[in-house]
Amino acid sequence: MGDGNPSGSLGAVENLLIACDFDGTITRRDTLHLIVEEFGTRGLWAAIEPRLRAGEVTLEQAMQEEFATVRATPSQVRDLILREAGMRAGFPELVAWAEARGDRVIVFSSGFRSVIDAVLGAWGLGRLPVVSHEAVFSPEGAELVWSDRGEPCGECGRRCKRHDLRRHHRGERLVYVGDGISDRCGARLADLVFARADLARDLAVDGVPFVPFEDFVEVREHLESAEPIAA
Ligand SMILES: [Mg+2]
Ligand SMILES: [Zn+2]
């Protein structure tokens, strides 16, 4: 289906969709956290969170409330992120490896496109497709623009990444790389999961198999050694 390996002759090599989280996965630090810490009201999340837990506000409303206190121009945000986010080693090399095989790498993020595009562009990876929300930054306070994730997910009850994954998947072998709560549901769709931090702990608790990773050199080496990947 779709744009599989055009050579097709060996048959044993199945194309991959490498679905990759952004914050804390491609970057070493969470850009949303960096932005709020630098330009917003520190500690506000602690006040919002009880209302979120009590179901008085949705996650989207809670995040909008938090980001309304973020007063910065787009270029201030960009400068901060380019200075502080940091890249997890081996990501550009993984992308080049995947592209040479005819695989696709897509960034699936619950963060903001302008931030992600700025970082990827600075790293020479501006060509990567990005599926995310958006934030419009201004000195009067940031406004969040939510992408359409359809109806709430049948698995987790939220508008999670699963919808986006399904929409972009073309029947390749699905590889998911992530680190956090926003990856929990989408990762469970994948044929192979690379996980670190909170995602790794969650999957371990639930008995979902995954490969631990700390950088993309490990991810590439694992994918290479697993080739041709058995179904
Ligand atoms: Mg993350
Ligand atoms: Zn879900």
Side-chain angles (χ1 to χ4, degrees), residues 21-27 30 109 161 178-183 196:
D21 172 55
F22 185 72
D23 285 287
T25 299
I26 296 174
T27 64
D30 185 300
S109 172
K161 291 183 185 177
D179 77 310
I181 290 171
S182 75
D183 305 306
R196 55 175 299 278

Side-chain angles (χ1 to χ4, degrees), residues 3-227:
D3 59 352
N5 181 351
S7 73
S9 52
L10 293 177
V13 178
E14 196 176 2
N15 272 116
L16 307 176
L17 169 57
I18 302 175
C20 198
D21 172 55
F22 185 72
D23 285 287
T25 299
I26 296 174
T27 64
R28 302 194 69 84
R29 300 173 71 190
D30 185 300
T31 62
L32 279 66
H33 183 72
L34 286 171
I35 292 166
V36 170
E37 286 291 298
E38 180 77 11
F39 300 116
T41 304
R42 289 188 192 194
L44 180 61
W45 190 252
I48 296 173
E49 203 179 23
R51 290 162 49 219
L52 180 62
R53 283 183 191 279
E56 293 168 23
V57 292
T58 64
L59 178 64
E60 287 80 4
Q61 288 167 332
M63 283 179 67
Q64 177 59 68
E65 213 172 298
E66 185 181 37
F67 272 82
T69 71
V70 170
R71 298 175 191 281
T73 64
S75 67
Q76 285 176 305
V77 171
R78 183 190 153 90
D79 291 348
L80 170 75
I81 294 307
L82 292 183
R83 197 174 64 237
E84 301 286 344
M87 181 172 56
R88 201 166 289 283
F91 186 64
E93 292 82 2
L94 172 72
V95 172
W97 175 83
E99 287 175 342
R101 287 171 34 100
D103 297 335
R104 296 191 300 153
V105 179
I106 303 181
V107 178
F108 291 91
S109 172
S110 290
F112 310 131
R113 168 176 291 276
S114 53
V115 170
I116 298 167
D117 282 349
V119 173
L120 292 178
W123 293 342
L125 295 168
R127 65 189 179 279
L128 283 185
V130 173
V131 182
S132 72
H133 304 302
E134 178 59 300
V136 181
F137 294 103
S138 92
E140 284 74 51
E143 189 178 330
L144 305 187
V145 182
W146 304 99
S147 68
D148 179 12
R149 281 181 171 169
E151 292 303 304
C153 167
E155 293 294 318
C156 69
R158 294 179 41 203
R159 288 184 165 80
C160 77
K161 291 183 185 177
R162 196 173 266 249
H163 172 84
D164 293 333
L165 280 169
R166 284 223 173 91
R167 200 152 49 96
H168 289 270
H169 191 208
R170 298 178 191 157
E172 306 103 320
R173 190 162 175 79
L174 180 59
V175 176
Y176 195 95
V177 192
D179 77 310
I181 290 171
S182 75
D183 305 306
R184 289 174 77 163
C185 199
R188 284 164 166 76
L189 270 186
D191 300 299
L192 176 60
V193 181
F194 293 90
R196 55 175 299 278
D198 288 349
L199 179 63
R201 284 189 283 276
D202 283 340
L203 295 177
V205 165
D206 292 347
V208 178
F210 66 93
V211 179
F213 81 102
E214 280 303 322
D215 63 47
F216 288 96
V217 177
E218 296 169 7
V219 171
R220 194 185 73 236
E221 285 175 355
H222 186 98
L223 290 173
E224 273 175 337
S225 71
E227 201 177 1

